Amino acid sequence: MNQKIYNYLLILADNPLILGHRLSELCGHGPNLETDIGLTNISLDLFGQVRNYLQYAAEIQGLGKTEDDLAFLRYEHEYRNYRLVEQPNTDFAWVIARQYLFDAYHLPLLNQLVGSKDSQIAAIAQKSIKEVQYHHRFSSEWVKRLGDGTEESHGKIQKAVSILWTYCGGIFEETEVENEMSQLGIGANLDLVKADFLSDTKYIFNEAALSVEGVDWSQKGGKLGVHSEHLGFILADLQYMQRTYPQMNW
Amino acid sequence: MKKEWPVWEVFIRSKSGLDHRHVGSIHATDAKMAIENARDVYTRRQEGVSIWVVPSKEITASNPEENGELFEPAADKIYRHPTFYILPDELTHM
Amino acid sequence: MYLNNDPLEADFQAKIDKGQNIEAKDWMPEKYRKTHIRQISQHAHSEIVGMLPEGNWITRAPSLRRKVALLAKVQDEAGHGLYLYSAAETLGITRDELYDQLHSGKAKYSSIFNYPAVTWADMGAVGWLVDGAAIMNQVMLTRTSYGPYARAMVRICKEESFHQRQGYEIMLTLCNGTEVQKRMAQDALNRWWWPSLMMFGPRDAESPHTEQALKWKIKLKTNDELRQQFVDQTVSQAEILGITIPDPKLKWNEARGHYDFGDIDWEEFTQVVAGNGPCNRERLEARKSAWEKGAWVRDAALAYAEKQEQRSLKVAV
């Protein structure tokens, strides 16, 4: 049972880990200071969530490992994040589209997890949900600004949304462990999360004059450990110190 | 288009019961964004429980060159202060 | 006292001599305004250029704890840049104009950020030495005469207090670690020591602005005084770490009550200030690139706000 909760926690932790990493790449490179600071706040929130999940995962794994062992010393196929969050910071439209799509999933996910029968997961979700409400507010506002801003910004955010939308199917492709956790009332029911996700995105895209009609193909696999080419490069950075200087304290 | 985001002045109430206090400024395109930017910039260390934002251009300030006529006339109205009144020492609570 | 025929300027100087602050709308000599715009914006530019050498280690930080601390620290630097640009804006110049000065190479920033951050230990050394040097200057500036600048510095000093501790803790962990880690720490100290001393600027004898800056209380201590204070306090910190400051002439001078130290390579300083440091080009390019790539984003947000306002006006009619 603990092994299963552990596996479920990795899914919960790896998404904010990889997305937080992507956002942290932007620190110092935002379109202006205010936005730079705002994106970094989101990154810091996500890393905080990662630490909570991974500390708990390490504890129930019971092998004496730390949050850092789990964050830095797994093989690529052992990371359980969605392909969506690995996608690069191609431009600000990608950053915003990726963030909004993740937030539109993350918020209903946490809404369910606050009622988890696992009290630790419920507590982490309770703390995270306020952060994610703000992330959603930040990213959805920016989707509207870019969608209904200039012709150029509309073109850029429409393109980003159309491409990134194809990575969203993978989020809702239920794995065995998710199914089991949901049955036990520990994890979220992905069908319900998906319904909220679809109505949220429908509303915001309508406001922003964006469309995902006709995009019905979906890239899958992230949760099962099958990733895009991007993850390898992310891990090269993320794991650099731990791999180059093994077994040291920092 | 070569235009800057407008400047907004930021006022923060650090805890309930206290006044909002001017803390600085930020740039934002509208009021909603101004609140968010002020939150992201000025409350990272729990400095606030409430935020006001005002477009800088909407603030009318008194002219320092008129400080004499504006503020000096109040200087000799010492009868507005409690210490002006001479009362016996035995009277302790007043 | 000094002679001054201009009654406005005499009043102004009297105010400063009494320790009163000058506020944005107060009368001030044009040169005071210009000097402040230059100094505050240089300071602001240093904060945001200073994000780059440390920023390049965020994705490679060796633990989650170090990662969030570094990320929060670099973010603070963005905040500090912002507070300072805001202070400069009160003097009648816009942030965009100040950016143009930075991007065109007209404005300067602290030469220290033109050195590369090549190992993780540099995150320790930068926090310990560079922030340590910066704090000395900043604590002094909380009492500077221009109100908005002084208030920005108060806020900055409050927030900065964790930065140096963060850096020193990194150094301490390395120095208590393996041989490889100790070597990394010593190497970082070797590379950052002299550039840190240069941060205080040219020697007093060669510092053209010092006299006027002291008179106007833009500065309260000279470059050499601050530099000496920095050396005096840092020596014992290095001893606790057990690493060696790379200066054979460094020696306690009982008579002066200060440490004597070796000669700074001023030619190197001049070259770095002139744009020939190891990273000048990369740093400026990175700032320009972020700004240029963000242009369409800033325009979009403005356009959206205008449309929203038009719509709300229509509804009102």
Side-chain angles (χ1 to χ4, degrees):
Chain A
M1 184 62 196
N2 273 2
Q3 182 60 37
K4 283 175 184 161
I5 298 180
Y6 170 81
N7 286 337
Y8 187 62
L9 284 167
L10 290 188
I11 297 177
L12 295 178
D14 285 346
N15 286 301
L17 175 63
I18 301 302
L19 185 57
H21 179 96
R22 277 294 188 220
L23 292 171
S24 78
E25 293 174 344
L26 291 167
C27 182
H29 305 279
N32 65 0
L33 284 173
E34 285 82 353
T35 316
D36 202 309
I37 292 169
L39 287 171
T40 302
N41 274 341
I42 297 178
S43 180
L44 284 166
D45 286 342
L46 293 175
F47 282 125
Q49 296 169 15
V50 171
R51 296 186 70 186
N52 289 331
Y53 287 128
L54 289 185
Q55 283 165 10
Y56 182 39
E59 184 192 318
I60 62 169
Q61 188 193 29
L63 297 175
K65 292 194 180 183
T66 66
E67 55 172 11
D68 289 331
D69 294 329
L70 299 184
F72 296 94
L73 292 173
R74 279 179 286 148
Y75 295 117
E76 180 170 331
H77 70 273
E78 294 171 319
Y79 284 84
R80 299 289 161 189
N81 61 281
Y82 312 133
R83 291 189 183 193
L84 173 70
V85 295
E86 301 162 13
Q87 298 309 307
N89 299 322
T90 307
D91 62 24
F92 189 74
W94 278 64
V95 173
I96 290 302
R98 184 185 62 206
Q99 187 65 41
Y100 168 65
L101 290 170
F102 182 70
D103 295 338
Y105 142 81
H106 201 189
L107 193 53
L109 174 83
L110 292 173
N111 262 324
Q112 289 197 39
L113 292 182
V114 293
S116 171
K117 285 192 179 146
D118 183 301
S119 63
Q120 195 67 27
I121 291 177
I124 297 172
Q126 190 64 51
K127 187 185 165 292
S128 308
I129 199 162
K130 288 173 200 142
E131 297 169 346
V132 175
Q133 279 163 352
Y134 187 77
H135 302 172
H136 182 275
R137 168 176 166 163
F138 180 95
S139 63
S140 62
E141 278 299 310
W142 268 108
V143 167
K144 287 192 265 176
R145 284 185 196 113
L146 299 183
D148 194 17
T150 61
E151 210 175 306
E152 185 183 10
S153 71
H154 178 81
K156 284 187 149 91
I157 188 79
Q158 176 62 65
K159 187 174 171 195
V161 163
S162 296
I163 294 171
L164 292 172
W165 186 256
T166 67
Y167 292 94
C168 293
I171 298 177
F172 302 107
E173 178 193 30
E174 195 170 65
T175 58
E176 212 181 301
V177 65
E178 285 171 308
N179 184 281
E180 211 166 330
M181 287 297 115
S182 164
Q183 300 289 332
L184 290 167
I186 294 172
N189 177 332
L190 273 186
D191 289 336
L192 297 177
V193 175
K194 186 177 182 179
D196 284 351
F197 171 86
L198 288 175
S199 75
D200 188 327
T201 50
K202 189 176 171 194
Y203 175 75
I204 295 293
F205 288 161
N206 181 47
E207 290 261 299
L210 296 172
S211 163
V212 287
E213 267 171 49
V215 188
D216 46 16
W217 172 248
S218 204
Q219 305 284 350
K220 294 180 178 166
K223 276 192 279 197
L224 296 165
V226 183
H227 294 281
S228 62
E229 289 181 346
H230 301 297
L231 187 65
F233 292 101
I234 291 174
L235 297 184
D237 269 356
L238 186 71
Q239 301 187 337
Y240 164 66
M241 290 294 292
Q242 292 274 350
R243 296 283 187 207
T244 311
Y245 304 96
Q247 310 276 331
M248 298 183 201
N249 291 321
W250 300 99
Chain B
M1 184 160 39
K2 171 83 185 162
K3 232 181 117 189
E4 283 203 43
W5 286 12
V7 181
W8 299 66
E9 300 301 323
V10 180
F11 300 80
I12 305 243
R13 185 200 295 286
S14 60
K15 61 179 186 188
S16 91
L18 297 180
D19 289 324
H20 284 78
R21 224 181 105 191
H22 184 241
V23 294
S25 65
I26 46 99
H27 290 197
T29 52
D30 55 51
K32 206 167 173 181
M33 193 208 267
I35 291 279
E36 288 166 15
N37 290 353
R39 177 262 190 194
D40 280 328
V41 172
Y42 288 103
T43 67
R44 302 199 304 283
R45 289 175 171 80
Q46 298 183 292
E47 292 96 334
V49 296
S50 166
I51 300 173
W52 288 350
V53 289
V54 185
S56 300
K57 64 175 167 46
E58 302 294 338
I59 290 183
T60 308
S62 64
N63 181 352
E65 279 160 38
E66 294 163 2
N67 274 10
E69 66 197 66
L70 288 175
F71 307 118
E72 276 172 33
D76 66 350
K77 314 291 192 292
I78 49 174
Y79 43 79
R80 287 196 173 113
H81 300 278
T83 46
F84 177 76
Y85 301 93
I86 301 157
L87 298 175
D89 288 346
E90 307 89 270
L91 189 73
T92 49
H93 297 288
M94 184 172 282
Chain C
M1 285 307 286
Y2 64 102
L3 289 173
N4 198 326
N5 298 326
D6 183 339
L8 276 173
E9 196 157 341
D11 275 357
F12 172 84
Q13 187 63 46
K15 237 170 130 178
I16 290 184
D17 292 342
K18 272 191 277 178
Q20 288 178 6
N21 282 118
I22 305 302
E23 294 296 341
K25 289 190 178 300
D26 293 346
W27 184 89
M28 60 185 83
E30 197 47 31
K31 199 169 160 225
Y32 179 90
R33 181 189 302 278
K34 286 218 170 100
T35 304
H36 267 92
I37 290 176
R38 196 189 70 228
Q39 183 174 328
I40 299 171
S41 64
Q42 259 182 34
H43 197 159
H45 299 327
S46 300
E47 293 283 353
I48 62 163
V49 175
M51 296 172 76
L52 299 168
E54 290 176 288
N56 96 53
W57 276 94
I58 294 168
T59 57
R60 290 178 291 168
S63 70
L64 290 173
R65 179 173 180 271
R66 292 287 179 220
K67 190 186 288 285
V68 292
L70 184 62
L71 187 50
K73 183 194 174 210
V74 179
Q75 183 197 41
D76 271 352
E77 283 155 13
H80 299 171
L82 193 153
Y83 308 154
L84 289 161
Y85 285 122
S86 294
E89 281 179 308
T90 62
L91 291 161
I93 189 161
T94 69
R95 199 197 292 175
D96 282 19
E97 288 173 305
L98 296 171
Y99 271 8
D100 285 344
Q101 293 177 358
L102 172 68
H103 297 157
S104 69
K106 190 182 155 215
K108 300 281 179 230
Y109 54 86
S110 179
S111 59
I112 192 87
F113 302 117
N114 292 314
Y115 290 86
V118 290
T119 73
W120 172 251
D122 290 21
M123 296 305 96
V126 167
W128 171 36
L129 301 172
V130 176
D131 287 294
I135 288 166
M136 301 215 126
N137 202 34
Q138 290 171 171
V139 166
M140 170 189 83
L141 287 170
T142 59
R143 291 177 289 127
T144 190
S145 63
Y146 187 55
Y149 191 24
R151 290 192 288 275
M153 289 325 304
V154 169
R155 178 169 278 273
I156 289 171
C157 283
K158 254 189 220 162
E159 297 189 357
E160 284 256 347
S161 55
F162 96 83
H163 292 185
Q164 196 188 11
R165 293 170 69 102
Q166 180 255 174
Y168 195 76
E169 195 194 77
I170 290 174
M171 292 303 271
L172 199 60
T173 310
L174 293 173
C175 292
N176 290 329
T178 62
E179 274 313 307
V180 176
Q181 287 173 302
K182 275 180 221 166
R183 223 179 307 139
M184 200 189 270
Q186 180 66 57
D187 163 68
L189 173 58
N190 293 349
R191 283 180 292 106
W192 289 96
W193 174 254
W194 291 106
S196 299
L197 295 192
M198 294 177 198
M199 280 178 73
F200 296 97
R203 274 174 300 213
D204 293 349
E206 273 115 56
S207 177
H209 306 299
T210 295
E211 198 195 340
Q212 181 72 72
L214 290 171
K215 192 179 104 188
W216 280 343
K217 293 192 186 163
I218 298 174
K219 272 182 173 182
L220 298 118
K221 288 179 182 168
T222 70
N223 295 353
D224 285 337
E225 283 168 355
L226 286 168
R227 189 165 17 240
Q228 182 70 58
Q229 195 184 334
F230 175 74
V231 172
D232 289 348
Q233 87 168 31
T234 309
V235 172
S236 65
Q237 295 168 353
E239 279 165 8
I240 294 172
L241 293 174
I243 47 180
T244 312
I245 291 174
D247 179 358
K249 291 187 182 163
L250 187 74
K251 202 173 161 240
W252 177 251
N253 181 328
E254 193 64 50
R256 286 205 310 129
H258 291 292
Y259 280 93
D260 290 337
F261 54 96
D263 298 321
I264 290 168
D265 182 351
W266 290 111
E267 175 56 21
E268 178 180 320
F269 177 73
T270 310
Q271 287 298 330
V272 177
V273 172
N276 301 320
C279 299
N280 294 59
R281 195 171 37 80
E282 289 95 323
R283 299 291 185 244
L284 211 50
E285 280 306 313
R287 292 295 353 137
K288 278 197 316 211
S289 159
W291 187 243
E292 283 160 14
K293 283 183 189 155
W296 69 270
V297 178
R298 299 189 299 274
D299 288 350
L302 272 175
Y304 176 79
E306 274 164 29
K307 283 187 199 173
Q308 291 293 98
E309 202 178 330
Q310 291 301 323
R311 281 174 201 145
S312 70
L313 287 178
K314 267 186 203 153
V315 171
V317 172

